[in-house]
Amino acid sequence: MSRSSRRTRLPLAALSLASASALLLSACAQSTDASKDTGDTAASASAATGEKPAPFSDGAVKVALVRQSGAGDYFEQWGNGAKAQAKALGIDLTVYDAQADNAKQATDLSSAINSGAKAIIIDHGFPATIQPEIDKAVKKGIKVVVYDVETDTKGVVSTKQNDASMAQAVLDVMAKEVGKDAKVGYVNVAGYAALDKRDTVWKSTVDAQGWKQAFKVGKVTDSTATDNVPLVSAALTQNSDVAGVFAPYDELAKGTVLAVQNKKLQDKVKVFGADVSNADIQAITAEDSPWVATAGTDPSAVGAAVVRTTALELAGQLNKTSVEFPAVAITQDFLREKKIENMDQLRKALPALNLSQVSTADWISNVAH
């Protein structure tokens, strides 16, 4: 949603996009020690050369990460990047994850406020539910950094994928692949900040290209990819002559791919998605896959960059209220030609995914991916 959101990421990246991906079934908060193994084999920290400013000069700094994550490896990689960067900075990171329960996220945020955290990072969420707690945190003097959450509270730092650039990057590829005046399909869900922004670009591209939108379906559930298969299959039954389908969130794209294959239309219908992860790369490069292009950011790099942004804000060195992470287009042809099978290989082949120069300073041990 990077794969965010008015409700949750759809990687959105987000929704991380988040990214984004189907929401996890478990609704239990998770308290995670950042010193534990993050599982991110691609992450290594470059040494800091500068003197640490306050509050980092005084030892470990307590930070809370309040998440509304989903299933799939986008969210896992985002979290791994955040944890690795926190460890490198000497941050004592406590992670809460509401996993599709909006009421629980508000409770988690309240717990984070009362935990003694110097800063709170909010990764996706439904603004109507968490806005009162955001206001409480700011009034209490806690630094608040949000990722793919819409809020107008003064003093909050906003971080996000550049969802417009993400949609435009992949739609530029789609325009070349299907041509003007084509009949096309659309799989998306309204009400998520990242997807709404991608929708705006979709609408303008449809007009500019003279495309004929044959259908729009889509929903987000605790099994988004699986639950969209029958929706897209039914739409394709009535519109098997569409040239392409745009599904601007990787779990929506996965469901669309399965539907196209179930209808045996993979030689006729091309799928254009958004977000990128190990699972997405495998789906795109699989034999007979109709998923021919996506666009995204590196979720691990984004998670790390959000933590660095928070560190700079705590040190009084950020001097801005928003940070955006640009997306890049990634085609099936590129992945196959370069024999790319995972994010580690993609990072090497596409240096533009590396956000190591975003939100950094000489005193920050910067996690490289």
Side-chain angles (χ1 to χ4, degrees):
M1 295 163 207
S2 56
R3 246 87 107 106
S4 204
S5 72
R6 295 188 195 148
R7 297 177 219 164
T8 178
R9 170 207 136 74
L10 293 181
L12 240 161
L15 1 149
S16 105
L17 25 340
S19 168
S21 47
L23 298 173
L24 291 172
L25 294 174
S26 169
C28 298
Q30 300 171 345
S31 180
T32 305
D33 184 343
S35 67
K36 294 179 181 178
D37 179 17
T38 66
D40 189 352
T41 58
S44 60
S46 58
T49 58
E51 184 176 345
K52 290 183 179 180
F56 297 93
S57 56
D58 301 324
V61 178
K62 190 173 181 60
V63 174
L65 170 57
V66 179
R67 307 192 72 191
Q68 185 71 287
S69 77
D73 59 356
Y74 179 96
F75 286 104
E76 181 181 359
Q77 289 186 47
W78 197 105
N80 287 343
K83 293 171 192 175
Q85 185 64 74
K87 179 180 178 181
L89 277 163
I91 286 175
D92 176 9
L93 186 70
T94 300
V95 182
Y96 305 82
D97 198 340
Q99 300 172 339
D101 187 333
N102 291 325
K104 187 176 185 311
Q105 190 180 23
T107 301
D108 287 346
L109 186 47
S110 179
S111 297
I113 291 170
N114 295 320
S115 71
K118 298 288 187 182
I120 298 174
I121 300 169
I122 304 173
D123 172 24
H124 296 90
F126 188 35
T129 305
I130 60 177
Q131 185 61 56
E133 299 301 323
I134 291 175
D135 291 337
K136 289 178 186 177
V138 171
K139 288 178 182 177
K140 196 171 179 178
I142 299 171
K143 299 295 185 182
V144 177
V145 176
V146 300
Y147 177 71
D148 271 348
V149 176
E150 296 296 321
T151 176
D152 295 325
T153 301
K154 187 175 181 180
V156 173
V157 175
S158 173
T159 67
K160 64 187 72 175
Q161 294 181 122
N162 188 321
D163 289 291
S165 77
M166 179 178 291
Q168 195 62 65
V170 73
L171 287 173
D172 285 346
V173 177
M174 183 171 177
K176 293 177 182 178
E177 291 284 340
V178 305
K180 287 185 175 293
D181 305 318
K183 185 175 180 180
V184 297
Y186 189 34
V187 183
N188 201 0
V189 182
Y192 295 85
L195 295 185
D196 289 345
K197 291 171 185 174
R198 299 172 195 185
D199 178 69
T200 298
V201 179
W202 164 255
K203 288 175 179 175
S204 64
T205 304
V206 168
D207 290 341
Q209 295 296 323
W211 290 341
K212 301 171 184 64
Q213 182 177 305
F215 62 81
K216 179 184 177 183
V217 298
K219 63 180 178 180
V220 171
T221 68
D222 56 4
S223 300
T224 298
T226 301
D227 290 345
N228 276 276
V229 175
L231 298 179
V232 181
S233 293
L236 290 172
T237 297
Q238 300 297 320
N239 302 279
S240 61
D241 58 340
V242 293
V245 180
F246 183 45
Y249 163 37
D250 56 356
E251 292 302 307
L252 294 174
K254 290 173 187 175
T256 302
V257 166
L258 289 171
V260 170
Q261 292 173 328
N262 287 348
K263 302 299 292 184
K264 301 188 185 305
L265 294 171
Q266 58 265 35
D267 292 332
K268 298 179 181 179
V269 180
K270 297 179 179 180
V271 177
F272 302 84
D275 306 311
V276 63
S277 68
N278 288 332
D280 296 341
I281 291 171
Q282 293 167 13
I284 294 169
T285 57
E287 186 176 358
D288 295 328
S289 173
W291 190 350
V292 299
T294 191
T297 54
D298 175 0
S300 184
V302 169
V306 172
V307 171
R308 293 196 302 273
T309 300
T310 305
L312 289 172
E313 177 68 0
L314 278 166
Q317 296 180 5
L318 184 63
N319 301 319
K320 61 177 71 173
T321 58
S322 65
V323 178
E324 284 195 340
F325 312 117
V328 296
I330 302 158
T331 66
Q332 183 184 71
D333 287 344
F334 175 82
L335 295 175
R336 287 177 173 173
E337 288 171 5
K338 300 293 184 180
K339 294 181 171 55
I340 293 170
E341 299 178 352
N342 54 51
M343 287 298 300
D344 287 357
Q345 294 172 348
L346 183 61
R347 291 178 186 113
K348 294 177 182 177
L350 271 182
L353 287 171
N354 190 336
L355 299 175
S356 62
Q357 299 306 308
V358 176
S359 294
T360 192
D362 62 3
W363 57 270
I364 292 178
S365 296
N366 199 327
V367 173
H369 300 269

